[in-house]
Amino acid sequence: MGPKFLESLEDPSHLLLGPTLLGLQYWGLWQKDRIKNVIYNIIHILAFIFVISQYLELWLIRQNLELAMRNLSVSMLSTVCVFKAGTFVFWQKSWKELIEYVSNLEKNQLSKNDKTTAKIIDTYTKYSRIVTYCYWCLVTATVFTVILAPLFVFLSSPVYRESISNGTQPYPEIMSSWFPFDRSRGLGYWLSVVCHTLICFYGGGVVASFDSNAVVIMTFFAGQLKLLSMNCSRLFGDGNEVVNYKDAVKRIEECHYHHLYLVKYSTVLNSLLSPVMFLYVIICSLMICASAVQLTTDGTGNMQRIWIAEYLMALIAQLFLYCWHGNEVSYMSYKVDGGLYSSAWWSQNVRIRRSLLLLGGQLRRTITFTAGPFTMLNVATFVTVSVIIMMISTQATATILLLGSKQTDRISNAIQLPICISDSV
């Protein structure tokens, strides 16, 4: 049943992006039908209103550090989800142009029946499927962990159950948000549970489909750069092949335009991702810090620590996924011209060699992905953010231990999370 289900996700029109486009379509980001678009856009607006209610609740509970940190760790992720959904819908035309380029280029390349080309495309397509499905599983596990965490806390703590029964403690919540009714008991509580459950599935679907689609397209660029390098290395065969001037120029032109369009559409992808990733790097860093502080607080129970640890792992995996694949594209972009100089260029005349020099100059134009105007998406950025997170988490934990629970209003001034991260990034 598993392989058949996975096969049903494939799309002959989009050989690489079939599963990710299906996910985008189910969650209302890849819009085709006008009537469904209206329904999906209403859902996106309701999600935006829910995020506002989370920050309103954060303001109301600002004096309670433990509740505020728990709210902050989730509300910022909700902000990123809504921002991703909004930008994808608003920039739908650019996304469609980019996706059509990816699909059409692969179909044209495979139509030539070249074994080397087919092998490279098949390799990065299989890799993309593994990354997509593993990431979907991780997001699904995170969503169910967030939804079921209050139930596990309720079942694992007899003292907490006794406090609920005598009315001294409210029922456990999935998320922290404001409602215009009493959500601590009765019908109001169950309405909040249903609302929080739905918003968790919405956010998980948006994150899974958006991130997997972006990462798969990054993988496409890395694979195409590898294919371009291979094509450059076999421009003139092994040197014994007789290639006339017209055929040689045609091959050089194909490599030139291949790289030219890769640079063009990678710039389009970067323009779509850069604002999202700038917000994502900042907010993800803040979320990881908030989760790490919760993890090291004495008042946090064992079941809560398990939930926070799984949530923290998912946040780090998301950031790593973008930085790793952005680094892969940059690395392949730097070494793509090596294929040209490993070709049998020495077997050609002076006119062809001059054209090769021009092509080499074109291939030196590198492809990079950025998170806003301040940093690039690569492994170095991930390591830098990780070091900052460790330093801030250590400082936050030490501050909590020194000041104690009665002086929590001074912690925000001692930690200075936003200032540290914005200055460092």
Side-chain angles (χ1 to χ4, degrees):
M1 181 178 178
K4 290 184 179 180
F5 172 73
L6 296 180
E7 289 178 4
S8 66
L9 301 179
E10 301 295 336
D11 185 355
S13 301
H14 303 282
L15 301 176
L16 177 66
L17 300 171
T20 59
L21 290 182
L22 192 61
L24 290 170
Q25 186 176 349
Y26 282 159
W27 263 265
L29 303 182
W30 183 252
Q31 300 183 349
K32 293 183 178 180
D33 186 86
R34 289 186 177 181
I35 298 177
K36 291 182 179 179
N37 292 352
V38 175
I39 298 174
Y40 282 130
N41 290 333
I42 291 175
I43 295 174
H44 296 323
I45 294 173
L46 293 176
F48 176 74
I49 295 174
F50 177 81
V51 173
I52 294 177
S53 73
Q54 287 183 299
Y55 285 105
L56 179 59
E57 178 70 10
L58 177 61
W59 173 258
L60 296 176
I61 62 174
R62 63 188 184 278
Q63 300 299 332
N64 190 318
L65 177 67
E66 183 180 353
L67 295 179
M69 294 294 283
R70 184 175 180 273
N71 176 290
L72 198 62
S73 63
V74 179
S75 60
M76 288 188 294
L77 180 59
S78 302
T79 303
V80 175
C81 293
V82 171
F83 192 68
K84 286 180 178 179
T87 56
F88 199 100
V89 172
F90 282 126
W91 298 334
Q92 187 91 179
K93 183 178 179 181
S94 298
W95 277 108
K96 287 183 177 180
E97 180 184 355
L98 174 62
I99 289 169
E100 288 299 324
Y101 164 73
V102 171
S103 301
N104 291 335
L105 177 61
E106 287 190 331
K107 285 189 287 187
N108 291 335
Q109 290 172 337
L110 293 174
S111 64
K112 297 178 181 179
N113 297 321
D114 181 72
K115 292 183 179 180
T116 302
T117 299
K119 183 179 179 181
I120 293 176
I121 292 177
D122 183 66
T123 299
Y124 72 70
T125 299
K126 289 181 178 178
Y127 172 79
S128 300
R129 294 292 183 271
I130 294 173
V131 172
T132 298
Y133 298 144
C134 289
Y135 186 68
W136 285 2
C137 291
L138 177 62
V139 174
T140 302
T142 304
V143 169
F144 279 102
T145 301
V146 171
I147 294 174
L148 298 177
L151 178 61
F152 291 147
V153 172
F154 176 80
L155 296 176
S156 63
S157 177
V159 177
Y160 185 55
R161 290 199 300 270
E162 180 65 24
S163 301
I164 292 176
S165 62
N166 59 31
T168 58
Q169 289 285 348
Y171 284 103
E173 291 183 313
I174 297 175
M175 305 171 72
S176 176
S177 64
W178 177 84
F179 287 98
F181 50 80
D182 182 15
R183 67 182 190 278
S184 61
R185 290 288 190 276
L187 180 61
Y189 173 76
W190 291 109
L191 287 176
S192 68
V193 168
V194 172
C195 180
H196 289 166
T197 302
L198 293 176
I199 203 69
C200 282
F201 281 113
Y202 167 84
V206 169
V207 168
S209 56
F210 184 96
D211 290 351
S212 59
N213 181 70
V215 168
V216 168
I217 296 179
M218 285 183 175
T219 305
F220 162 81
F221 283 109
Q224 287 293 322
L225 288 169
K226 181 179 180 180
L227 177 59
L228 175 59
S229 181
M230 183 66 67
N231 290 337
C232 289
S233 66
R234 54 179 185 164
L235 277 172
F236 313 109
D238 58 358
N240 297 321
E241 179 183 354
V242 179
V243 181
N244 58 45
Y245 179 78
K246 184 177 180 180
D247 291 339
V249 171
K250 182 179 179 181
R251 295 180 184 182
I252 294 173
E253 284 181 350
E254 289 178 352
C255 293
H256 168 76
Y257 283 111
H258 189 186
H259 186 263
L260 191 66
Y261 281 108
L262 287 177
V263 172
K264 174 184 175 181
Y265 285 99
S266 66
T267 305
V268 173
L269 177 61
N270 188 55
S271 66
L272 296 171
L273 287 182
S274 185
V276 178
M277 292 311 303
F278 175 68
L279 178 66
Y280 187 79
V281 169
I282 299 298
I283 288 186
C284 187
S285 302
L286 291 170
M287 288 188 298
I288 293 173
C289 290
S291 300
V293 170
Q294 286 181 282
L295 197 62
T296 55
T297 303
D298 292 335
T300 305
N302 292 331
M303 292 304 302
Q304 289 177 301
R305 283 193 173 93
I306 295 175
W307 170 77
I308 294 170
E310 201 282 335
Y311 186 68
L312 191 61
M313 182 181 66
L315 297 178
I316 295 173
Q318 291 179 50
L319 183 59
F320 176 76
L321 204 63
Y322 277 101
C323 291
W324 177 265
H325 290 91
N327 191 83
E328 284 291 302
V329 176
S330 298
Y331 173 74
M332 290 304 305
S333 179
Y334 280 119
K335 62 178 293 188
V336 67
D337 61 339
L340 180 65
Y341 300 113
S342 64
S343 67
W345 58 267
W346 43 266
S347 64
Q348 303 302 306
N349 57 40
V350 175
R351 295 177 64 189
I352 297 299
R353 293 181 187 179
R354 289 174 180 171
S355 299
L356 290 176
L357 286 175
L358 294 175
L359 177 60
Q362 165 67 25
L363 297 180
R364 293 188 63 184
R365 185 175 178 180
T366 57
I367 297 175
T368 56
F369 295 106
T370 60
F374 303 111
T375 186
M376 293 190 297
L377 290 177
N378 51 30
V379 176
T381 298
F382 177 78
V383 173
T384 302
V385 172
S386 300
V387 171
I388 295 171
I389 291 168
M390 291 176 61
M391 294 172 61
I392 294 174
S393 300
T394 304
Q395 182 184 0
T397 305
T399 306
I400 290 173
L401 295 175
L402 288 173
L403 297 181
S405 59
K406 294 184 179 180
Q407 301 182 19
T408 55
D409 55 331
R410 295 170 54 192
I411 292 179
S412 58
N413 295 328
I415 299 177
Q416 297 180 344
L417 295 180
I419 298 176
C420 290
I421 292 180
S422 60
D423 290 345
S424 301
V425 173

